[in-house]
């Protein structure tokens, strides 16, 4: 685990800090599962009261999960989570010295819900018990108020941890990231380990709190299963294809892989600044191949479907659901309404896919599409599942109220074409090179899975691959129909490619549609990677040269938007469309005026400084980046205010050799969609 060794370990909490005692192996992990609108009249009726007015209350729903070591913990009674409000003034207060009372200490007591005996205790549910550990899930609900709120929680009287929920009807402040780990063969020290971008993100969270953290795939890199196992590695190295594909799935192999995924998740999700973020910012995740193993689903069917490889997929899915969704494979829409279950079990994992639909504020809906469970070499999502997804979106989106729909796909859908490379790697011209590689003359050309060319699975993964072209085009047209029908602006999020950029679909300029009335205008925000190594500049330049205006049909064009006219040092760039630097993204409602709450939070943060775990050795106390005040790096949108517009900021790493993680912001304003009427034939 080379890159895990690069993470500064957090001390494991001693059981004595919890009462009753707990030995926490992983967590706590915080997850957001959606908003629920409750009619006040319905609530009054349940309580036997006569309602006086029709109103709605907005309820934030989420879960907290942790893994405990059984023989070092006490579960009598079951673990309890205490939930209470803890306003921002609490950060500036101090404990009252003995024999002294002053206004500051009274303010501290007054603003802390637990001190006022205003709290709620939630008993943990035993989600799973095996291998000497127990997964505990705490289900929490919070009624939103007129202001965003800081909510704290503690488990078994342990240390308190806080997160933020938005105000009622407020659009959430969103963070988006992908590719949260290092590929095999990458030296983490070259990039100061995995923490720099997370350090910057947590500093941004202190200036203006994130209400949700979207993971776009590869939240954990499990490719090391090919190197850090015994039985599975022996199977991978089997030369005879017949023996390899017919090998039986054994209890011993299952036990080895269960142990690998358990330990990998517990290590990666609890350590470093990513572990800190997991406990303070509610997550919403969709998986991609590295959450399983590199390329899963994009290899030939005879390999993907063989007993050993499909068995690995099932174990990876089990742990993905446990750690990233706090659920078990048997739970479905009846247990959690944010799920959209696939129509039929997938071909290799043999379980139904799980897409997500929820709201991130009244005006912003979110759809996370599971593009891995049903994936085959020529299929990403089946037509029957697409139908379920779009039916759900049409039921949930409220015309005139829902202004934006964010669609999360693991891989960009508007991206430079690489079909020419696919054609080369699959042509007979490669046969002599493949023969040399099988004789170990050209090491690294072929993968150890199915013996194919190493990067071919990555190309087959892309929406723009020739095997997915028809499905991709049909999907884009369905999104256009939905946008026009519901008058909702659709923005796509994608990761995977270790570059940042903005792809875009838009109406043929000859149609003369302004952007705010163009239902075909659909930006694809590409943010990758927050941890993994970016490609060389030369590769990004090759991709940039492949960029041109493509014609989806007679009405729709697509290309890459020139998002990066200058580099992080302010110098002009030749490649204005793709940025090969580590990065993450933020999304929120555009406002040309500084939010007073953010300004106040910034002042409070300046007074208390930045905690040591957020400062690298080169940072000064009380500053965000080396030598810069926190106010200097607050992002303030420029230009005229656009009502209900969405602001997207790509935050790009300035220097990969500096552990500070300083970033430069690149901003895009996405207008809402205004359509007068919907004509299905015109949008085709």
């Amino acid at each position: 685990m080379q890159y895990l060794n690069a993470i500064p370990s957090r001390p494991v909490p001693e059981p004595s800090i919890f009462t009753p005692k707990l030995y926490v192996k992983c967590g706590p992990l915080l997850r957001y599962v959606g908003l629920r609108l409750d009619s006040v009249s319905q609530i009054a009726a349940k309580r036997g009261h006569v309602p006086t007015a029709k109103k709605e209350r907005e309820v934030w729903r989420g879960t907290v999960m942790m893994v405990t070591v059984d023989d070092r913990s006490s579960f009598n009674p079951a673990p309890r989570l205490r939930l209470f409000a803890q306003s921002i003034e609490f950060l500036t207060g101090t404990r009252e010295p003995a024999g002294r009372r002053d206004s500051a200490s009274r303010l501290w007591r007054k603003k802390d819900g637990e001190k006022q005996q205003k709290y709620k205790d939630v008993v943990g549910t035993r989600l799973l018990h095996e291998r000497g550990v127990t997964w505990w899930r705490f289900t929490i609900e919070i009624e939103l108020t007129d202001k965003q709120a800081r909510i704290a929680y503690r488990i078994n009287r342990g240390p308190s941890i806080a997160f933020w929920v938005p105000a009622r009807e407020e659009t959430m402040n969103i963070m988006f990231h992908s590719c949260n780990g290092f590929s095999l063969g990458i030296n983490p020290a070259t990039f100061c380990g995995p923490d720099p971008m997370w350090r910057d993100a947590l500093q941004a969270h202190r200036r203006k709190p994130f209400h949700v953290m979207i993971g776009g795939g590869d939240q954990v890199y499990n490719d090391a299963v090919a190197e850090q196992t015994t039985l599975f590695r022996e199977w991978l190295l089997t030369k005879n294809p017949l023996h390899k594909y017919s090998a039986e799935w054994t209890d011993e192999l299952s036990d080895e892989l269960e142990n690998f995924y358990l330990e990998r998740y517990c290590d990666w999700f609890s350590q470093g600044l990513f572990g800190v973020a997991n406990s303070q910012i509610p997550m919403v995740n969709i998986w991609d191949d590295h959450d399983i193993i590199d390329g899963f689903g994009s290899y030939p069917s005879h390999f993907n479907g063989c007993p050993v490889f499909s068995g690995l997929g099932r174990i990876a899915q089990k742990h993905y659901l446990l750690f990233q969704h706090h659920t078990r494979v048997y739970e479905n829409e009846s247990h959690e309404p944010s799920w959209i279950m696939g129509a039929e079990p997938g071909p290799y994992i043999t379980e139904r896919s799980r897409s997500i639909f929820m709201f991130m504020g009244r005006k912003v809906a979110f759809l996370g599409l599971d593009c891995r469970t049903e994936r085959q070499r020529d299929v990403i999502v089946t037509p029957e599942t697409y139908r379920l997804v779009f039916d759900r979106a049409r039921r949930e989106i409220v015309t005139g109220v829902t202004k934006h729909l964010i669609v999360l796909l693991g891989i960009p859908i508007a991206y430079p074409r690489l079909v020419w490379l696919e054609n080369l790697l699959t042509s007979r011209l490669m046969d002599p090179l493949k023969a040399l590689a099988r004789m170990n003359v050209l090491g690294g050309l072929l993968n150890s899975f199915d013996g194919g060319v190493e990067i071919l699975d990555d190309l087959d993964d892309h929406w723009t691959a020739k095997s997915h072209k028809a499905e991709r085009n049909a999907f884009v047209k369905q999104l256009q129909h939905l946008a026009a029908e519901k008058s909702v602006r659709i923005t796509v999020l994608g990761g995977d490619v270790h570059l940042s950029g903005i792809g875009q679909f838009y109406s043929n300029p000859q149609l003369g549609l302004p952007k705010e009335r163009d239902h075909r205008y659909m930006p694809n925000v590409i943010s990758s990677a927050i941890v993994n190594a970016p490609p060389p500049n030369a590769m990004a330049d090759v991709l940039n040269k492949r960029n041109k205006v493509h014609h989806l049909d007679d009405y729709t064009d697509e290309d890459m938007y020139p998002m990066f006219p200058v580099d992080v040092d302010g110098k002009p760039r030749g490649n204005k469309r793709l940025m090969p630097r580590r990065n993450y993204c933020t999304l929120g409602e555009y406002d040309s005026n500084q939010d007073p709450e953010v300004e106040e939070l910034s002042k409070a943060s300046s007074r208390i400084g930045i905690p040591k775990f957020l400062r690298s050795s080169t940072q000064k106390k009380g500053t965000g980046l080396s030598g810069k005040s926190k106010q200097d790096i607050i992002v303030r949108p420029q230009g005229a205010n656009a009502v209900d517009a969405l602001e997207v900021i790509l935050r790009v790493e300035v220097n990969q050799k500096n552990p500070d993680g300083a970033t430069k912001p690149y901003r895009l304003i996405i207008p809402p969609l205004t359509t007068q009427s919907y004509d299905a034939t015109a949008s085709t």
Side-chain angles (χ1 to χ4, degrees), residues 423-586:
N423 292 334
L424 173 63
L425 296 180
T426 55
S427 72
R428 299 189 67 86
L429 294 174
M430 291 295 295
D431 289 350
L433 296 178
K434 292 179 183 178
L436 291 173
R438 282 190 284 269
M439 293 185 291
N440 294 323
V441 176
L442 295 176
L445 179 65
L446 305 181
N447 66 60
S448 60
F449 296 164
D450 67 332
V453 178
E454 175 60 36
I455 66 170
L456 192 56
D457 64 289
D458 295 309
L459 299 177
D460 284 338
D461 261 0
H462 279 236
W463 285 92
T464 52
K466 59 183 179 182
S467 57
H468 299 310
K469 182 178 179 180
E471 179 182 350
R472 169 188 181 270
N473 292 354
F475 178 46
V476 170
K477 290 181 180 180
Q478 287 188 75
L479 290 174
Q480 291 176 349
H481 278 291
L482 180 65
E485 178 184 344
K486 292 292 187 176
S487 191
V488 63
R489 173 69 66 208
I490 295 178
T491 299
V492 177
L493 303 182
D496 180 75
V497 294
H498 303 180
L499 294 159
S500 59
I502 304 289
Q504 57 180 358
F505 298 93
Y506 52 92
S507 286
N508 186 323
Q510 294 181 1
L511 298 176
L513 282 176
K515 188 176 291 185
E516 61 271 14
R517 293 185 56 197
D518 183 3
H519 67 276
R520 299 184 187 90
Y521 173 61
M522 185 167 61
N524 182 182
V525 179
I526 304 167
S527 181
S528 169
I530 194 169
V531 168
N532 211 346
N537 284 318
M539 183 177 294
D541 290 342
V542 168
L543 289 170
N544 183 53
K545 290 178 181 178
R546 299 297 303 174
N547 175 68
K548 62 179 182 179
V549 177
H550 294 272
H551 306 290
L552 183 80
D553 54 29
D554 292 340
Y555 304 98
T556 308
D557 289 351
E558 60 172 293
D559 64 2
M560 298 296 296
Y561 178 75
M563 186 73 174
F564 309 104
V566 297
D567 211 332
V568 293
D569 58 2
K571 296 180 180 179
R573 283 176 54 83
N575 182 351
K576 296 178 173 58
R577 293 172 175 83
L578 296 168
M579 177 68 79
R581 293 176 180 269
R582 295 196 295 186
N583 62 90
Y584 67 94
C585 175
T586 66

Side-chain angles (χ1 to χ4, degrees), residues 325-345:
H325 294 285
H326 308 175
T327 190
R328 298 281 303 279
V329 69
Y330 61 80
E331 294 187 324
N332 53 36
E333 300 103 325
S334 64
H335 299 88
E336 174 45 58
S338 64
W339 291 122
I340 307 175
M341 304 298 293
E344 298 291 340

Side-chain angles (χ1 to χ4, degrees), residues 105 142 252 273 319 369 428 445 469 491 499 537 587 641:
S105 62
I142 301 161
E252 293 78 11
L273 296 185
H319 288 83
L369 190 64
R428 299 189 67 86
L445 179 65
K469 182 178 179 180
T491 299
L499 294 159
N537 284 318
L587 303 94
N641 189 24

Side-chain angles (χ1 to χ4, degrees), residues 12-24 69-74 155-159:
V12 178
E14 290 297 325
S16 59
I17 69 173
F18 297 101
T19 306
K21 67 178 183 178
L22 295 173
Y23 190 98
V24 180
V69 178
D70 294 345
D71 61 6
R72 302 182 67 177
S73 304
S74 173
I155 299 172
N156 278 19
R157 304 180 187 177

Side-chain angles (χ1 to χ4, degrees), residues 200 203-204 207 610 623-625 628-636 651 663 665:
D200 188 79
Q203 290 177 1
R207 296 191 299 272
I610 297 177
T623 64
L625 306 177
K628 292 185 178 181
S629 70
K630 298 184 75 61
Q631 285 83 354
D632 288 339
I633 54 175
I634 291 177
V635 174
R636 287 185 172 86
R651 303 203 66 97
T663 59

Side-chain angles (χ1 to χ4, degrees), residues 192-206:
C192 300
D195 276 349
M197 290 291 91
W198 285 108
R199 178 173 288 111
D200 188 79
L202 285 169
Q203 290 177 1
H205 177 55
R206 289 177 63 81

